[in-house]
Amino acid sequence: MKCNNPDIKNLLTAYFENELAEKEERVVEEHLSHCSECLRELEEIKAFDKMLLSTPEIDPPQNSELNFKEKISQNKDISKRSMTITLNFSWREIAAAIVIFFAGTTAGLLLRTNSVTESASIANLETEISQMRQMLMAALITKESPSDRLKAVQYAEQINQPSSQVTETLIETLNSDPSVNVRLAAVNALQQFAVHQDIRSAMAASLKEQSDPLIQIVLIKMLVQMHEKSVVPTLQEFEADQQTHEMVKQEAQEALTVLL
Amino acid sequence: MNSLTDEEIMLDVKNGNTELLSFLYRRHQKHLFNFFMQIGTEYHQSEDFVQQVFFRILRYRNSYKEGAMFRKWMFTIARNLVKRDYEKQKHQKSIQLPQRLITEAPDDTDAGEKEEKIKELYKALESLQASDRELISLSRFQGMKYEAISEITGISVGAIKVRMHRALKKLREHYFENA
């Protein structure tokens, strides 16, 4: 008997592989009960599949695993080199921590001398410090000297639950501060607050504005780790653009293989 | 270590035990290698791709999401690598197989017969489009469900059902034509 239902015939492989929805399955079974052509094809599918599954795999080159391990250990040297960069960051963080420690103790002492000692709870103190950091930051971020602005960013980094004003200032800094170091510090500060989607989006949008390869690479790495897909079009632009720095291009390419 | 799932090991790798990645490499390299071969990549290029996939996994271990199926992630990376390479250079039309296909058990008396079987399969695969080979490889040889294949390739499950049927039918016809 000639099969009169090519649509059902097309589902036979999926039927055999148990990939049909229940409803489809019932339709196919009903059809099979009276179509000998499809029944024969199903048998062919089964037999051929058995043959496919019994075909052995090709062996990869035998030294493959050794090669891999070798390259991994070469790779370790590379990661050691990049460690120094992270160390630089942590020194800066230590410096920031010291500054804030002193700021904190001074604030504490001030409160004490103002004879609020008994009642000032720790929570109060923390808000005070937070507010003070925000004030300091607001005052410093407009300074001409990059090191002052750097301090401002570091204050921002230490604020526990930053107001939108703080994060906006950081994003603004990231987008338009003339100093690479200040922008880099802003990226690092923002990373801490990146649990918020709007901050991640702002970071992704900022990538387009950046011209310095270092910032571009750091941003790409962070955004990949956050799995921020909105960055994909920018990465594709980087990849296609002749002007893009070679290392940024590489980073973008690798990021794309992971994000896409 | 062998009793741990891919996902458990990958989570450990993500948490800093990067040397554990070699377990995943050992577990999957052969399948991944065959995936590259089946979709038409040259022998040594396939080996290189396998390593590149694992380098990317190492490098981007932090973006591995807990609970995500490791093999799905691995094949997504693998596929993107090939796609990128495909745009760069022309792919070979005919699949070139190396002299020896089975090297792990050289005293295997059936080796000749097994190699014959592989050659027949690859000859039939050659007549298929790359996208069809990919579907067949992922489904029949890598044992992925349509749902996972859909996520890797971006083709809807509904479309996969029909395309898989047509691709396998074509493969079957070519296979028996050659035989």
Side-chain angles (χ1 to χ4, degrees):
Chain A
M1 186 174 68
K2 189 92 184 112
C3 176
N4 54 6
N5 203 331
D7 286 342
I8 289 189
K9 205 174 186 157
N10 279 336
L11 292 178
L12 283 177
T13 297
Y15 172 76
F16 166 67
E17 289 176 11
N18 246 331
E19 291 274 10
L20 287 183
E22 233 175 281
K23 221 167 122 193
E24 289 173 313
E25 209 173 273
R26 253 179 284 139
V27 175
V28 171
E29 271 166 8
E30 201 276 323
H31 177 77
L32 281 172
S33 70
H34 58 74
C35 177
S36 56
E37 186 181 326
C38 280
L39 208 57
R40 195 168 53 238
E41 180 154 348
L42 185 64
E43 286 311 313
E44 282 174 24
I45 290 172
K46 274 187 204 169
F48 185 62
D49 196 64
K50 213 167 153 190
M51 200 287 309
L52 281 186
L53 295 186
S54 70
T55 306
E57 287 190 309
I58 299 176
D59 285 331
Q62 270 174 324
N63 45 6
S64 166
E65 194 176 334
L66 212 72
N67 283 345
F68 178 67
K69 281 193 172 154
E70 227 165 70
K71 284 193 192 151
I72 287 264
S73 57
Q74 282 168 9
N75 215 42
K76 263 191 189 150
D77 299 336
I78 297 169
S79 56
K80 257 184 216 150
R81 244 181 286 148
S82 57
M83 270 282 280
T84 49
I85 302 176
T86 17
L87 263 184
N88 284 342
F89 285 136
S90 39
W91 277 115
R92 197 179 290 157
E93 276 162 17
I94 291 167
I98 293 170
V99 170
I100 284 163
F101 175 72
F102 281 114
T105 26
T106 336
L109 283 175
L110 278 175
L111 283 171
R112 217 166 275 220
T113 46
N114 285 344
S115 78
V116 216
T117 20
E118 301 296 328
S119 54
S121 67
I122 293 171
N124 253 337
L125 195 67
E126 274 179 357
T127 5
E128 296 257 346
I129 293 174
S130 246
Q131 279 168 357
M132 203 176 71
R133 283 179 189 142
Q134 287 200 26
M135 262 167 51
L136 276 170
M137 177 199 172
L140 285 170
I141 198 76
T142 53
K143 288 273 164 94
E144 207 153 312
S145 134
S147 66
D148 280 336
R149 296 202 305 277
L150 207 53
K151 262 187 229 153
V153 172
Q154 283 156 359
Y155 282 131
E157 208 171 335
Q158 308 291 330
I159 297 169
N160 272 344
Q161 275 163 335
S163 63
S164 59
Q165 208 187 338
V166 172
T167 52
E168 269 163 32
T169 314
L170 282 173
I171 288 163
E172 176 68 32
T173 308
L174 169 62
N175 284 335
S176 51
D177 198 287
S179 154
V180 176
N181 285 329
V182 177
R183 293 205 303 271
L184 198 55
V187 179
N188 280 308
L190 281 168
Q191 187 187 21
Q192 308 202 1
F193 309 136
V195 280
H196 304 289
Q197 177 59 49
D198 47 336
I199 293 184
R200 289 204 297 275
S201 310
M203 287 171 85
S206 172
L207 181 59
K208 232 183 297 182
E209 312 297 322
Q210 302 297 334
S211 53
D212 188 274
L214 180 63
I215 306 262
Q216 288 170 338
I217 290 173
V218 171
L219 264 178
I220 293 173
K221 277 195 198 303
M222 279 183 192
L223 290 164
V224 168
Q225 293 204 351
M226 300 163 191
H227 232 88
E228 178 59 41
K229 289 212 172 183
S230 67
V231 78
V232 166
T234 315
L235 291 177
Q236 280 163 342
E237 264 171 47
F238 279 171
E239 203 189 8
D241 191 353
Q242 296 272 320
Q243 308 271 314
T244 314
H245 190 280
E246 203 41 53
M247 278 177 70
V248 177
K249 216 176 241 186
Q250 253 178 25
E251 197 67 42
Q253 278 177 356
E254 293 199 1
L256 281 171
T257 62
V258 176
L259 285 179
L260 280 180
Chain B
M1 194 51 60
N2 281 329
S3 60
L4 289 181
T5 65
D6 293 345
E7 289 71 24
E8 285 164 336
I9 298 178
M10 188 56 220
L11 211 58
D12 262 357
V13 171
K14 182 180 176 177
N15 290 334
N17 277 331
T18 48
E19 67 276 19
L20 293 185
L21 190 64
S22 61
F23 284 98
L24 290 175
Y25 183 85
R26 204 170 303 152
R27 200 178 274 180
H28 294 295
Q29 61 135 340
K30 191 169 174 182
H31 304 309
L32 194 55
F33 175 80
N34 276 269
F35 167 73
F36 285 126
M37 290 292 291
Q38 281 151 6
I39 60 174
T41 315
E42 193 266 332
Y43 184 71
H44 288 287
Q45 180 67 57
S46 294
E47 185 198 10
D48 190 62
F49 273 159
V50 171
Q51 304 208 345
Q52 284 193 47
V53 168
F54 275 86
F55 276 124
R56 276 169 170 66
I57 289 174
L58 182 68
R59 184 138 189 213
Y60 293 105
R61 57 187 179 275
N62 287 327
S63 70
Y64 171 74
K65 282 199 201 128
E66 187 172 351
M69 182 180 173
F70 173 76
R71 293 203 310 139
K72 205 164 70 188
W73 189 48
M74 180 179 83
F75 280 116
T76 308
I77 295 176
R79 202 171 165 269
N80 283 326
L81 258 179
V82 178
K83 229 169 59 188
R84 209 152 296 278
D85 190 71
Y86 198 87
E87 283 153 15
K88 263 189 232 153
Q89 61 205 36
K90 281 258 172 272
H91 251 235
Q92 49 177 10
K93 270 235 168 71
S94 61
I95 302 175
Q96 302 287 330
L97 291 178
Q99 283 283 312
R100 296 291 308 273
L101 299 170
I102 296 177
T103 49
E104 272 179 3
D107 52 341
D108 191 342
T109 45
D110 300 334
E113 198 181 312
K114 282 183 182 162
E115 297 206 331
E116 230 13 78
K117 241 180 152 173
I118 297 175
K119 281 183 195 154
E120 275 167 25
L121 169 67
Y122 273 81
K123 198 153 177 234
L125 275 173
E126 223 173 73
S127 52
L128 261 56
Q129 282 188 342
S131 57
D132 282 347
R133 285 186 214 155
E134 186 176 79
L135 287 181
I136 292 175
S137 178
L138 288 173
S139 164
R140 298 334 283 150
F141 298 106
Q142 310 298 335
M144 307 287 282
K145 300 294 281 180
Y146 289 4
E147 188 85 38
I149 297 176
S150 164
E151 280 177 54
I152 294 170
T153 59
I155 304 171
S156 74
V157 173
I160 288 177
K161 288 176 188 168
V162 176
R163 281 181 61 174
M164 197 73 84
H165 179 76
R166 294 199 175 130
L168 276 165
K169 188 172 182 168
K170 214 188 267 175
L171 184 71
R172 196 166 74 224
E173 283 165 4
H174 283 285
Y175 190 89
F176 290 118
E177 220 168 79
N178 295 334

